[in-house]
Amino acid sequence: MDADAIIIGAGACGLMCAVQAGFLGKKVIVLEKNSKPGAKILISGGGRCNYTNQWATTEQFISANPHFLKSSFNQWTVEDTINFFETYGIIGKEKTLGQLFPEDKNAKDIVEVFISLCEEMEQEIWCNTDVKDIEQNEKGFILSYTVGDKVKTISAPKVVIASGGLPIPKMGATDFALRFARNNGLKIIETAPALVPLTITGKDEDWYAQLSGNSVFCEVSNDEISFEENILFTHWGLSGPAILQISSYWRRGEVFNINLLPNQNILELIEEERKSNGKTLLSTLLNRFYAKKFTDALGKFLPLTKTVADLSKADMELVYQTIHEFKVKPAGDKGYDKAEVMRGGIDTNEISSKTLECKKIPGLYFGGECMDVTGWLGGYNFQWAWASGFVIAQNL
Ligand code: FDA
């Protein structure tokens, strides 16, 4: 079987790479451990696939080298993603914050685009094929893989490692890329779960647990960054988009801030209320912004039964701190089983930003999540996966 390249992983990056290579008349074989291609695409966005973000720039990514992405994003833009999917009948609709989802289709249709194109161009996808190792000889690369209990090999002049990151091992995630990098002396930026719910334990646990299911629009911030979206209380801590976003910037032991009433100032609201009706209870005022259950829970910190007229200077300070500077110190995160992406990965300094070829191993390319490129929540990670797949295909 003669192929110009072998791609490891039929995920977002590997599938885009196979298709784009096909457009250029290059033959690839994609080796996929799962029984079907595109497992993570299928579950993404709750099965609807938030496949890009209209606002995507290099600014919404975390990497030790923030400039690394620029070349890939110049070569494959958000417009390119939108046009690519439109060509195959997937029209994007913005849900919120620039996030594009298929208007009247879903994640299955996105995967189907790649499967059909691969079939048409005779790009092969071998499923149930678990790649174990890559060796090099004078002709290129020899990959050993297992199919069931059989060990086999295949060789090709070029190899693409698009085997993804560590999140959701039960969906096929492996440490293949990281292990290969380590064994070949490539630097790795420390990895951790990202876009992941955070846990609260100890004395505050019950306070959070009683609010399980409640969602509040907030601004969540630390010294580095802030996000305005919903937070969701759960029986073990905090989730929801704003928490997933800040989790990528959070380190164990750190405290972050929640502004429970962004865009308004609670002290000004109290002053206004004092002028119109000083007898209004603090709880009544807060109920205008929150569900009663949430206001009641704030009673742990605030004198809810006082009237706004009766609030002392110390009370006012407490109200301000509780509403605008609510401090959270998570115990940890929910780990790779619940993370949407991996932070860290193969150091981008090991890879050419123009071609995504490994500098120390010519002919071998890395793409997608295995690298130290981590996007925000909202379609950014797929934009990187598509872009890196495209860039690699140009160089196979
Ligand atoms: P991806 O994980 O897609 O593919 C890697 C493939 O390699 C897998 O199919 C795996 O089985 C295979 N593989 C691994 N080791 C192998 C081996 N040794 N041999 C053979 N095959 C091997 N992003 C976004 O932008 N919008 C969204 O809506 C979502 N939603 C979302 C929901 C959930 C629940 C999760 C977990 C993640 C998301 N994401 C997301 C993130 C997104 O799924 C992720 O960034 C991309 O899938 C990464 O694409 P890759 O191709 O790099 O890896």
Tab-separated table of all heavy atoms in Angstrom, residues 167-196:
chain	number	residue	atom	x	y	z
A	167	PRO	N	-7.992	14.494	27.237
A	167	PRO	CA	-9.359	14.435	27.759
A	167	PRO	C	-10.209	13.272	27.213
A	167	PRO	O	-10.110	12.920	26.040
A	167	PRO	CB	-9.973	15.777	27.324
A	167	PRO	CG	-8.811	16.677	27.205
A	167	PRO	CD	-7.701	15.814	26.663
A	168	ILE	N	-11.028	12.755	28.097
A	168	ILE	CA	-12.014	11.704	27.831
A	168	ILE	C	-11.354	10.420	27.304
A	168	ILE	O	-11.591	10.007	26.151
A	168	ILE	CB	-13.138	12.172	26.893
A	168	ILE	CG1	-13.443	13.666	27.109
A	168	ILE	CG2	-14.360	11.283	27.037
A	168	ILE	CD1	-14.748	14.042	27.683
A	169	PRO	N	-10.571	9.759	28.165
A	169	PRO	CA	-9.923	8.505	27.744
A	169	PRO	C	-10.933	7.469	27.247
A	169	PRO	O	-10.642	6.726	26.308
A	169	PRO	CB	-9.229	8.006	29.015
A	169	PRO	CG	-9.179	9.170	29.947
A	169	PRO	CD	-10.243	10.141	29.542
A	170	LYS	N	-12.137	7.478	27.823
A	170	LYS	CA	-13.089	6.431	27.394
A	170	LYS	C	-13.594	6.663	25.961
A	170	LYS	O	-14.237	5.800	25.380
A	170	LYS	CB	-14.236	6.245	28.398
A	170	LYS	CG	-15.207	7.382	28.510
A	170	LYS	CD	-16.384	6.934	29.402
A	170	LYS	CE	-17.535	7.888	29.373
A	170	LYS	NZ	-17.419	9.102	30.159
A	171	MET	N	-13.256	7.813	25.386
A	171	MET	CA	-13.619	8.051	23.981
A	171	MET	C	-12.434	7.849	23.056
A	171	MET	O	-12.455	8.297	21.908
A	171	MET	CB	-14.137	9.460	23.819
A	171	MET	CG	-15.417	9.670	24.578
A	171	MET	SD	-16.294	11.057	23.941
A	171	MET	CE	-16.600	10.509	22.298
A	172	GLY	N	-11.376	7.241	23.564
A	172	GLY	CA	-10.252	6.927	22.677
A	172	GLY	C	-9.026	7.789	22.893
A	172	GLY	O	-8.000	7.579	22.247
A	173	ALA	N	-9.122	8.772	23.795
A	173	ALA	CA	-7.959	9.654	23.995
A	173	ALA	C	-6.771	8.844	24.522
A	173	ALA	O	-6.928	7.989	25.388
A	173	ALA	CB	-8.313	10.754	24.987
A	174	THR	N	-5.609	9.110	23.954
A	174	THR	CA	-4.401	8.436	24.423
A	174	THR	C	-3.295	9.481	24.605
A	174	THR	O	-3.405	10.611	24.140
A	174	THR	CB	-3.889	7.393	23.399
A	174	THR	OG1	-3.367	8.099	22.260
A	174	THR	CG2	-4.963	6.414	22.972
A	175	ASP	N	-2.225	9.031	25.255
A	175	ASP	CA	-1.069	9.922	25.417
A	175	ASP	C	-0.044	9.649	24.319
A	175	ASP	O	1.132	9.951	24.482
A	175	ASP	CB	-0.444	9.733	26.805
A	175	ASP	CG	0.166	8.347	26.973
A	175	ASP	OD1	-0.075	7.462	26.115
A	175	ASP	OD2	0.905	8.141	27.950
A	176	PHE	N	-0.508	9.074	23.187
A	176	PHE	CA	0.437	8.647	22.154
A	176	PHE	C	1.397	9.774	21.742
A	176	PHE	O	2.616	9.603	21.705
A	176	PHE	CB	-0.295	8.108	20.912
A	176	PHE	CG	0.672	7.691	19.853
A	176	PHE	CD1	1.304	6.460	19.933
A	176	PHE	CD2	1.011	8.550	18.814
A	176	PHE	CE1	2.257	6.089	18.987
A	176	PHE	CE2	1.962	8.181	17.873
A	176	PHE	CZ	2.580	6.955	17.956
A	177	ALA	N	0.832	10.940	21.431
A	177	ALA	CA	1.664	12.052	20.923
A	177	ALA	C	2.676	12.485	21.981
A	177	ALA	O	3.855	12.704	21.677
A	177	ALA	CB	0.770	13.225	20.530
A	178	LEU	N	2.208	12.582	23.219
A	178	LEU	CA	3.099	13.039	24.291
A	178	LEU	C	4.193	12.007	24.549
A	178	LEU	O	5.364	12.345	24.741
A	178	LEU	CB	2.299	13.277	25.578
A	178	LEU	CG	1.217	14.362	25.483
A	178	LEU	CD1	0.363	14.383	26.732
A	178	LEU	CD2	1.848	15.738	25.264
A	179	ARG	N	3.805	10.735	24.521
A	179	ARG	CA	4.777	9.654	24.752
A	179	ARG	C	5.823	9.645	23.643
A	179	ARG	O	7.021	9.572	23.900
A	179	ARG	CB	4.037	8.310	24.783
A	179	ARG	CG	4.685	7.301	25.663
A	179	ARG	CD	3.800	6.091	25.965
A	179	ARG	NE	2.476	6.071	25.405
A	179	ARG	CZ	2.088	5.284	24.394
A	179	ARG	NH1	2.958	4.494	23.794
A	179	ARG	NH2	0.842	5.287	23.983
A	180	PHE	N	5.352	9.785	22.397
A	180	PHE	CA	6.281	9.805	21.271
A	180	PHE	C	7.248	10.981	21.420
A	180	PHE	O	8.455	10.850	21.227
A	180	PHE	CB	5.512	9.925	19.943
A	180	PHE	CG	6.429	10.102	18.770
A	180	PHE	CD1	7.021	8.994	18.157
A	180	PHE	CD2	6.751	11.369	18.305
A	180	PHE	CE1	7.909	9.158	17.095
A	180	PHE	CE2	7.639	11.546	17.244
A	180	PHE	CZ	8.216	10.441	16.635
A	181	ALA	N	6.695	12.139	21.783
A	181	ALA	CA	7.524	13.346	21.922
A	181	ALA	C	8.586	13.122	23.008
A	181	ALA	O	9.768	13.394	22.799
A	181	ALA	CB	6.640	14.542	22.267
A	182	ARG	N	8.136	12.620	24.135
A	182	ARG	CA	9.060	12.388	25.260
A	182	ARG	C	10.169	11.428	24.839
A	182	ARG	O	11.345	11.682	25.066
A	182	ARG	CB	8.268	11.798	26.431
A	182	ARG	CG	8.625	12.430	27.757
A	182	ARG	CD	7.692	11.950	28.860
A	182	ARG	NE	6.507	12.784	29.010
A	182	ARG	CZ	5.250	12.347	28.964
A	182	ARG	NH1	4.986	11.074	28.745
A	182	ARG	NH2	4.256	13.179	29.134
A	183	ASN	N	9.788	10.328	24.187
A	183	ASN	CA	10.778	9.302	23.797
A	183	ASN	C	11.767	9.829	22.763
A	183	ASN	O	12.830	9.255	22.571
A	183	ASN	CB	10.078	8.067	23.207
A	183	ASN	CG	9.292	7.340	24.268
A	183	ASN	OD1	9.524	7.548	25.462
A	183	ASN	ND2	8.331	6.505	23.862
A	184	ASN	N	11.376	10.905	22.080
A	184	ASN	CA	12.248	11.445	21.040
A	184	ASN	C	12.896	12.768	21.453
A	184	ASN	O	13.358	13.530	20.599
A	184	ASN	CB	11.478	11.600	19.729
A	184	ASN	CG	11.260	10.241	19.075
A	184	ASN	OD1	12.111	9.749	18.358
A	184	ASN	ND2	10.128	9.629	19.386
A	185	GLY	N	12.891	13.015	22.731
A	185	GLY	CA	13.599	14.184	23.262
A	185	GLY	C	12.958	15.515	22.920
A	185	GLY	O	13.626	16.550	22.937
A	186	LEU	N	11.659	15.516	22.621
A	186	LEU	CA	10.980	16.790	22.330
A	186	LEU	C	10.422	17.354	23.637
A	186	LEU	O	9.888	16.605	24.471
A	186	LEU	CB	9.829	16.585	21.334
A	186	LEU	CG	10.191	15.888	20.016
A	186	LEU	CD1	8.938	15.744	19.154
A	186	LEU	CD2	11.259	16.672	19.264
A	187	LYS	N	10.522	18.658	23.786
A	187	LYS	CA	10.069	19.286	25.028
A	187	LYS	C	8.538	19.305	25.082
A	187	LYS	O	7.870	19.488	24.049
A	187	LYS	CB	10.618	20.719	25.097
A	187	LYS	CG	10.768	21.197	26.505
A	187	LYS	CD	11.420	22.566	26.574
A	187	LYS	CE	10.897	23.237	27.823
A	187	LYS	NZ	10.633	24.643	27.674
A	188	ILE	N	8.037	19.119	26.289
A	188	ILE	CA	6.581	19.168	26.485
A	188	ILE	C	6.268	20.245	27.513
A	188	ILE	O	6.925	20.315	28.553
A	188	ILE	CB	6.068	17.794	26.972
A	188	ILE	CG1	6.179	16.783	25.833
A	188	ILE	CG2	4.628	17.874	27.470
A	188	ILE	CD1	5.954	15.361	26.232
A	189	ILE	N	5.313	21.090	27.207
A	189	ILE	CA	4.830	22.062	28.193
A	189	ILE	C	3.832	21.303	29.075
A	189	ILE	O	2.936	20.611	28.558
A	189	ILE	CB	4.125	23.266	27.504
A	189	ILE	CG1	5.072	23.954	26.501
A	189	ILE	CG2	3.580	24.241	28.529
A	189	ILE	CD1	6.297	24.621	27.075
A	190	GLU	N	4.006	21.435	30.372
A	190	GLU	CA	3.218	20.640	31.327
A	190	GLU	C	1.723	20.648	30.967
A	190	GLU	O	1.155	21.703	30.698
A	190	GLU	CB	3.412	21.209	32.736
A	190	GLU	CG	2.860	20.297	33.790
A	190	GLU	CD	2.930	20.911	35.187
A	190	GLU	OE1	3.495	22.009	35.355
A	190	GLU	OE2	2.398	20.272	36.100
A	191	THR	N	1.136	19.471	31.000
A	191	THR	CA	-0.274	19.358	30.587
A	191	THR	C	-1.204	19.351	31.804
A	191	THR	O	-0.790	18.975	32.903
A	191	THR	CB	-0.502	18.059	29.792
A	191	THR	OG1	-0.087	16.956	30.597
A	191	THR	CG2	0.268	18.059	28.488
A	192	ALA	N	-2.433	19.762	31.591
A	192	ALA	CA	-3.451	19.747	32.650
A	192	ALA	C	-4.821	19.805	31.987
A	192	ALA	O	-4.952	20.306	30.862
A	192	ALA	CB	-3.264	20.950	33.567
A	193	PRO	N	-5.848	19.308	32.681
A	193	PRO	CA	-7.205	19.451	32.130
A	193	PRO	C	-7.549	20.934	31.996
A	193	PRO	O	-7.178	21.733	32.859
A	193	PRO	CB	-8.090	18.789	33.192
A	193	PRO	CG	-7.163	17.930	34.006
A	193	PRO	CD	-5.831	18.611	33.980
A	194	ALA	N	-8.228	21.300	30.929
A	194	ALA	CA	-8.663	22.694	30.730
A	194	ALA	C	-10.111	22.686	30.237
A	194	ALA	O	-10.617	21.634	29.820
A	194	ALA	CB	-7.759	23.388	29.719
A	195	LEU	N	-10.750	23.850	30.271
A	195	LEU	CA	-12.200	23.923	30.020
A	195	LEU	C	-12.874	22.804	30.827
A	195	LEU	O	-13.532	21.915	30.285
A	195	LEU	CB	-12.508	23.790	28.521
A	195	LEU	CG	-11.909	24.864	27.623
A	195	LEU	CD1	-12.314	24.646	26.171
A	195	LEU	CD2	-12.313	26.276	28.059
A	196	VAL	N	-12.671	22.874	32.131
A	196	VAL	CA	-13.054	21.773	33.011
A	196	VAL	C	-13.795	22.333	34.239
A	196	VAL	O	-13.444	23.413	34.725
A	196	VAL	CB	-11.766	20.985	33.421
A	196	VAL	CG1	-10.795	21.824	34.247
A	196	VAL	CG2	-12.091	19.698	34.142
